[in-house]
Amino acid sequence: MAAEKRSGDIRRETLKNGLVAIVEENHRAPVVAVQVWVKVGSTYEDEKIAGITHLIEHMIFKGTERRGPGEIAETIEAQGGYINAFTSYDYTCYYIVGPRDILETALDILSDAVFHPAFDPGELEREKEVVLEEMRMREDRPMILLSERVLEAAYVKYPYRRPIIGYEKTVRALSRKDLLDYMHRYYVPSNMAVVVVGDVDASQTLALVERYFGGVPARKPPEVKFPEETYVKEPRAVTVHKGVEENYFEIVLPAPRLTDPEAPVMDVMAALLGEGHSSRLYLKLRRRLGLVHSIEAAAFTPAGPGLFEVYGTASPENLKAALKEALVEVFRLKYEPVSEEELRRARIQVLSDFVYSRETMEGEARKLGTFEMVAGDPAAADRYMEAVRRVKPQDLMAAAQKYFDPARVVAGILTSQGELSPGELKRLVEEAELEAQGITPTEAGPVIPPVYRKLSNGLRVVILPLRDVPSVAMALVFPGGLRYETPETNGLFRALVTVWPRGTRKHSAEEISRLVESLGGKIKGFSGRNTFGLEATFLSDGFREGLDLFLEVLREPAFTETEVDRARPELISALMRQDDQPVQVALKEFYRVMFSPHPYGLNVLGSRDFFEKVTAETLRRAYARYVRPDSGVLAIVGDVDPEEVLRELSRKLVDWKAPPEPLPRDEKPPALSGPRITTVTKEAEQTHILLGFRAVGLRDRDRYALEVLNAVLAGQGGRLFRTLRDEKALAYTVTSFLTLGVNTGSLALYIACAPDKKDEALSGLWNEIARIKERGITDEELARAKNWLVGSYETELQTNLSQAMDRALNEALGLGFNYFYRYIEGIKRVTREEVQEAAQKYLRNDAYVLVILEPAGGQ
């Protein structure tokens, strides 16, 4: 035997002839499961011999060279065991389960059956009739029948499109020689594994496997080249007419292979959508809308290209509505992150299936055999479970965006009446995609959904073609900015984006400026608390040349010492201007006190110490680590052809690869354990007061209520302005503002007043907080706040650049590139009660930050 591999209680050894032996001792019951796995399934067939793998499975226990028909089953049953087999697309398994004393008999019989089958001609003809009856039985099972038709439509090239059982014509034509030739090719030791799980001694069991399987000569199985699956390129409809009482539907979309990193994510997604009575599909389609009688979801993740499935039953008049509403829920996963609580339940459901399967020796052996056949390692099952435990909301969204392309939907119905036409399905898919984004069909009108693609290097590209104005805007966004800085590197990203567009390896800063401006365009960098990147605008006539220049700046920046030296005084000047404005000094101190030692406590404009010592090499290293396709999002909005741009990007960015070093982890700042109060002084005429509270991050559901609460307080129509300025004349400027980070934030109230009004102004802020916590808000305030938020947002998104930036930022931050629609819907859903609850929860009297800027030498 070859060198032994261990993983926990699993022993895996390879015999000299290439056969793999896997043994797991399990003493929870005096039982053993013995399985022989062969890496050949129906996908290894061609059209002429379709069904041969399944027919061999039927024939394998019908007698061997030394055992007659029926003798195998009689021997096993006489010892209290049972024998069976199954065929899949990718492998075949023969197994015996029984008392532990059956181990040697089981190994002897299985070895005899798979290496020395008799295939008696008379038995073969009789068994063909049994298989044909199985075919007819499947025709009488509506869900199986519909599923086979849907799979045939969903797979364009891959042999999963053929039923495992084959066809009547091909099965009837198979001869004894066909079966023997097929087994000779594929039933070779190096293509097989013996799995034993049960109340056994591992070393003794491995010796028995060697005795019964080790003497078979080594041979190589043939190499099989499977076609590359493309899936459908537009929605494909399937209708099966059958005289049934119930009506059935099924939807499929592409999914990963079992060995792809998204496979565990898909299992969690299936549980979240369609497993149990707390799943999204059940709650919406069964409980709330009453459209279905049953509904489930599953991830088919085999050795080859997979499918994500939603299936169920409904009355005939509800079939199409059920298809659409199910698609809405599936597509929503692309645009809306799930809550941690919902994700936790889904992960537990997937993990529980694994755990329960281990309660029987047969279930545990099947798990080990499956992962050995597909991944080449039975221990991969445990790694799979660990991957399930690590699934995060952003993983679900990324997988959904990768696989749930509306153009690749295949849906079918089985009914005694009605038809699902291609045109109807296309309309249902389009409506579902829009509604998943928060756009109702009545609002949609001429809305053109953006094109979303993920390039081979991981770069996400969003393109929205708007032809009404001859201009194009681009926003390229990466995670970064203040969140990845330290006190020693504070200002790194500001310096990076300032110098980045100033010259490439081909063109100087002056040449780049001249070329860009000659096209009526601009390219510049930006950096904030959560992200950084490049933005650009061009007239559409110059877009092709502009795109080339943009990609040149992206891929070939020069970062010369000359340009760093030129940028240095500009960066320091911004800090000096900040220090000249009392309100900016107060804000800088507010964020320091609110978030320190978290990076959000640093100055968003950077630090003088860093700017004075920064070098070109420092920026080159930062560029190499943070400007990376696997975390980037490029949004393009304007007068463009999406497919043409995608082809150009794929061609020109093919060699852009991500560095091996991962991005830093985002950490939460320590909680506010009590009041943090500080006073700063500066030459000024007014006293500036900032009273702030810790809030939530961008993806938290409380965000919407806090946005509305802030809008109630802020603005000229807000409470603070009306009460403290209009009624009490305490200040010229009074407002509030909400700052949202990746996983934390703050809500602050601000007032600038005369020094002698400081105490009254601060008391006024606390009074407004108390009033809103105790009495809530009025319907009029709620309506005004919502209208102001939605109207301001829509107004801000008028330009191509603002739309591109909004989509890129939201996608990069894990909110989804169409978050615009969900944001508006989230604001519209907020109630008065939720606003009051948010005030009570976050505006805490025992945990706050108070920063007061006093005039130097004043009171």
Side-chain angles (χ1 to χ4, degrees):
M1 293 189 186
E4 177 187 299
K5 291 184 180 179
R6 290 181 180 271
S7 177
D9 298 326
I10 302 169
R11 290 181 62 176
R12 180 186 186 275
E13 296 184 0
T14 303
L15 278 56
K16 290 181 180 179
N17 61 8
L19 183 139
V20 171
I22 299 166
V23 179
E24 180 180 345
E25 291 188 24
N26 188 327
H27 304 293
R28 73 189 313 268
V31 175
V32 66
V34 183
Q35 300 181 348
V36 174
W37 293 74
V38 190
K39 196 173 182 180
V40 63
S42 65
T43 56
Y44 292 76
E45 305 165 351
D46 59 38
E47 291 290 339
K48 292 181 181 178
I49 58 170
I52 191 172
T53 314
H54 177 256
L55 182 58
I56 288 171
E57 176 229 304
H58 271 246
M59 287 295 299
I60 211 83
F61 297 136
K62 291 293 180 180
T64 69
E65 295 170 4
R66 59 189 178 95
R67 289 181 169 93
E71 188 177 338
I72 290 176
E74 288 175 7
T75 301
I76 294 300
E77 290 172 5
Q79 294 191 33
Y82 64 88
I83 188 167
N84 213 329
F86 62 85
T87 306
S88 82
Y89 292 105
D90 302 309
Y91 42 76
T92 308
C93 178
Y94 305 94
Y95 62 92
I96 293 171
V97 181
R100 62 188 170 203
D101 294 339
I102 207 172
L103 172 63
E104 186 166 359
T105 302
L107 289 169
D108 179 18
I109 285 178
L110 289 172
S111 173
D112 190 26
V114 297
F115 291 127
H116 307 288
F119 290 159
D120 177 80
E123 288 290 335
L124 177 59
E125 292 307 310
R126 283 190 290 273
E127 200 60 30
K128 283 182 185 180
E129 293 301 319
V130 173
V131 170
L132 296 179
E133 283 301 319
E134 186 179 349
M135 287 184 187
R136 287 187 276 273
M137 176 196 71
R138 293 171 72 85
E139 289 287 321
D140 286 338
R141 295 187 175 179
M143 200 68 244
I144 292 176
L145 177 60
L146 176 60
S147 182
E148 288 185 350
R149 300 293 193 276
V150 169
L151 257 67
E152 185 180 10
Y155 285 107
V156 176
K157 297 180 180 180
Y158 211 80
Y160 291 158
R161 68 192 315 272
R162 286 197 307 266
I164 293 171
I165 201 170
Y167 309 106
E168 180 177 355
K169 180 180 178 181
T170 57
V171 170
R172 284 195 183 279
L174 292 170
S175 67
R176 179 176 186 270
K177 183 177 183 302
D178 292 329
L179 270 63
L180 290 171
D181 288 347
Y182 190 79
M183 287 195 71
H184 181 76
R185 290 198 300 275
Y186 293 108
Y187 278 58
V188 301
S190 60
N191 210 36
M192 303 171 74
V194 174
V195 180
V196 180
V197 175
D199 189 18
V200 297
D201 177 271
S203 297
Q204 293 175 5
T205 302
L206 288 167
L208 288 172
V209 174
E210 173 73 46
R211 179 189 305 173
Y212 288 103
F213 289 85
V216 180
R219 282 188 294 112
K220 285 187 177 181
E223 290 187 14
V224 179
K225 186 175 177 61
F226 294 108
E228 191 70 28
E229 180 57 47
T230 60
Y231 296 106
V232 299
K233 290 183 168 53
E234 61 180 1
R236 183 172 291 180
V238 175
T239 302
V240 180
H241 289 120
K242 192 172 182 64
V244 288
E245 297 296 322
E246 182 60 284
N247 299 267
Y248 304 80
F249 64 88
E250 182 170 11
I251 302 165
V252 297
L253 279 153
R257 303 167 187 263
L258 181 65
T259 51
D260 289 338
E262 299 93 353
V265 180
M266 281 288 178
D267 275 340
V268 173
M269 199 179 293
L272 184 144
L273 282 173
E275 185 172 332
H277 289 183
S278 65
S279 66
R280 287 188 174 188
L281 290 171
Y282 183 86
L283 289 175
K284 181 179 180 183
L285 276 77
R286 178 73 186 94
R287 299 282 293 175
R288 183 155 66 86
L289 300 179
L291 288 174
V292 301
H293 302 143
S294 64
I295 190 164
E296 295 180 55
F300 171 55
T301 52
L307 289 176
F308 190 84
E309 306 167 292
V310 175
Y311 50 92
T313 58
S315 56
E317 67 272 13
N318 287 336
L319 280 173
K320 293 169 188 177
L323 288 175
K324 185 191 127 177
E325 293 301 333
L327 283 167
V328 170
E329 292 307 303
V330 170
F331 291 155
R332 268 182 64 203
L333 293 173
K334 297 193 291 183
Y335 308 114
E336 182 179 335
V338 302
S339 69
E340 284 293 346
E341 175 58 27
E342 195 175 15
L343 179 57
R344 185 186 67 82
R345 287 200 306 270
R347 284 195 300 253
I348 289 172
Q349 286 176 307
V350 175
L351 292 170
S352 67
D353 290 341
F354 270 84
V355 171
Y356 293 142
S357 73
R358 303 189 69 175
E359 291 185 351
T360 67
M361 308 305 179
E362 180 184 343
E364 176 70 357
R366 183 175 290 206
K367 181 192 72 176
L368 298 178
T370 299
F371 279 90
E372 172 63 32
M373 288 290 102
V374 179
D377 182 3
D382 291 332
R383 294 196 295 273
Y384 194 93
M385 292 177 69
E386 283 303 313
V388 169
R389 291 187 180 95
R390 293 194 302 269
V391 172
K392 298 180 176 61
Q394 56 266 37
D395 298 327
L396 293 180
M397 187 177 289
Q401 290 171 351
K402 179 176 180 179
Y403 290 101
F404 294 165
D405 183 347
R408 301 195 187 281
V409 169
V410 176
I413 60 172
L414 185 148
T415 181
S416 59
Q417 53 184 298
E419 188 89 19
L420 179 65
S421 71
E424 283 179 306
L425 178 59
K426 184 178 179 182
R427 176 181 58 79
L428 293 175
V429 170
E430 289 173 350
E431 289 181 3
E433 172 72 358
L434 289 170
E435 289 188 31
Q437 300 171 38
I439 314 170
T440 62
T442 54
E443 291 172 335
V447 167
I448 303 170
V451 175
Y452 176 92
R453 296 286 167 77
K454 194 172 188 178
L455 303 188
S456 59
N457 60 9
L459 181 70
R460 290 161 285 171
V461 181
V462 182
I463 304 178
L464 179 62
L466 297 179
R467 309 299 178 105
D468 55 334
V469 176
S471 67
V472 184
M474 293 183 282
L476 178 61
V477 177
F478 302 93
L482 200 62
R483 69 198 263 203
Y484 291 160
E485 292 180 356
T486 66
E488 294 73 30
T489 62
N490 185 205
L492 173 62
F493 287 90
R494 292 279 297 180
L496 176 67
V497 299
T498 301
V499 180
W500 186 3
R502 297 186 182 183
T504 67
R505 292 196 288 269
K506 295 178 181 177
H507 298 97
S508 68
E510 291 79 7
E511 288 170 336
I512 283 287
S513 296
R514 187 167 60 251
L515 289 168
V516 170
E517 290 167 10
S518 69
L519 299 172
K522 66 177 181 181
I523 300 176
K524 69 175 188 176
F526 64 88
S527 176
R529 286 184 170 80
N530 305 307
T531 59
F532 76 104
L534 292 174
E535 63 179 53
T537 54
F538 292 98
L539 298 178
S540 52
D541 286 345
F543 174 67
R544 290 185 66 86
E545 296 87 345
L547 179 61
D548 287 341
L549 289 170
F550 185 83
L551 296 179
E552 182 182 326
V553 171
L554 166 63
R555 298 298 315 283
E556 304 179 67
F559 291 118
T560 65
E561 289 293 353
T562 299
E563 291 303 330
V564 172
D565 288 338
R566 286 173 176 164
R568 202 183 318 273
E570 300 172 29
L571 295 165
I572 294 173
S573 174
L575 295 178
M576 295 164 65
R577 294 194 301 274
Q578 182 186 46
D579 285 341
D580 285 340
Q581 302 176 64
V583 63
Q584 294 298 324
V585 173
L587 278 169
K588 182 172 65 172
E589 179 68 4
F590 171 78
Y591 286 119
R592 184 191 70 80
V593 177
M594 174 62 73
F595 294 113
S596 184
H598 189 276
Y600 287 156
L602 300 172
N603 186 0
V604 73
L605 294 184
S607 67
R608 185 170 190 136
D609 286 347
F610 178 80
F611 292 146
E612 286 177 345
K613 66 185 179 185
V614 65
T615 66
E617 180 57 29
T618 303
L619 301 185
R620 290 190 200 105
R621 288 197 301 268
Y623 169 87
R625 181 177 186 190
Y626 296 107
V627 179
R628 48 196 297 157
D630 60 334
S631 65
V633 181
L634 173 60
I636 302 176
V637 177
D639 187 13
V640 295
D641 180 320
E643 295 302 326
E644 183 180 317
V645 173
L646 284 165
R647 284 194 297 271
E648 191 76 0
L649 291 173
S650 297
R651 184 173 65 85
K652 293 193 172 181
L653 298 179
V654 66
D655 61 337
W656 184 25
K657 306 298 182 185
E661 187 178 11
L663 291 173
R665 291 183 59 182
D666 289 302
E667 303 290 346
K668 281 191 174 184
L672 291 179
S673 56
R676 295 182 181 179
I677 302 171
T678 186
T679 301
V680 295
T681 59
K682 180 173 178 57
E683 285 191 19
E685 296 298 321
Q686 291 181 302
T687 293
H688 298 261
I689 301 172
L690 282 157
L691 175 61
F693 306 87
R694 190 68 64 77
V696 297
L698 288 157
R699 295 188 286 267
D700 195 285
R701 299 181 75 168
D702 282 352
R703 166 194 184 157
Y704 302 109
L706 283 168
E707 294 250 24
V708 174
L709 171 60
N710 181 57
V712 167
L713 293 169
Q716 294 187 30
R719 282 200 178 189
L720 298 179
F721 194 95
R722 291 198 322 268
T723 303
L724 302 182
R725 172 174 161 161
D726 285 353
E727 293 178 13
K728 298 186 177 180
L730 289 174
Y732 177 76
T733 302
V734 58
T735 190
S736 67
F737 53 90
L738 180 66
T739 303
L740 298 173
V742 172
N743 52 21
T744 188
S746 65
L747 177 62
L749 284 64
Y750 167 75
I751 189 167
C753 61
D756 61 350
K757 295 181 179 179
K758 177 186 70 174
D759 294 339
E760 187 180 358
L762 179 57
S763 177
L765 296 179
W766 280 115
N767 287 339
E768 292 307 313
I769 290 171
R771 190 157 64 98
I772 210 165
K773 289 166 69 174
E774 293 167 8
R775 305 177 197 171
I777 63 173
T778 66
D779 288 334
E780 292 76 13
E781 285 179 310
L782 181 68
R784 170 201 161 269
K786 289 182 178 182
N787 291 336
W788 185 40
L789 287 167
V790 172
S792 300
Y793 196 10
E794 291 176 335
T795 302
E796 289 171 3
L797 295 182
Q798 293 181 83
T799 68
N800 287 345
L801 181 58
S802 61
Q803 286 210 45
M805 188 63 75
D806 184 76
R807 292 180 185 276
L809 284 170
N810 285 329
E811 177 68 18
L813 292 169
L815 297 167
F817 61 86
N818 275 337
Y819 178 66
F820 166 84
Y821 301 110
R822 286 194 298 106
Y823 173 80
I824 291 176
E825 187 62 27
I827 294 298
K828 289 180 177 178
R829 288 200 188 109
V830 174
T831 64
R832 290 170 48 202
E833 291 74 20
E834 287 172 334
V835 174
Q836 186 174 9
E837 288 169 7
Q840 293 167 346
K841 181 177 180 180
Y842 294 101
L843 305 186
R844 295 173 52 187
N845 297 24
D846 61 341
Y848 61 88
V849 168
L850 175 61
V851 172
I852 301 175
L853 184 144
E854 299 270 24
Q859 300 174 9

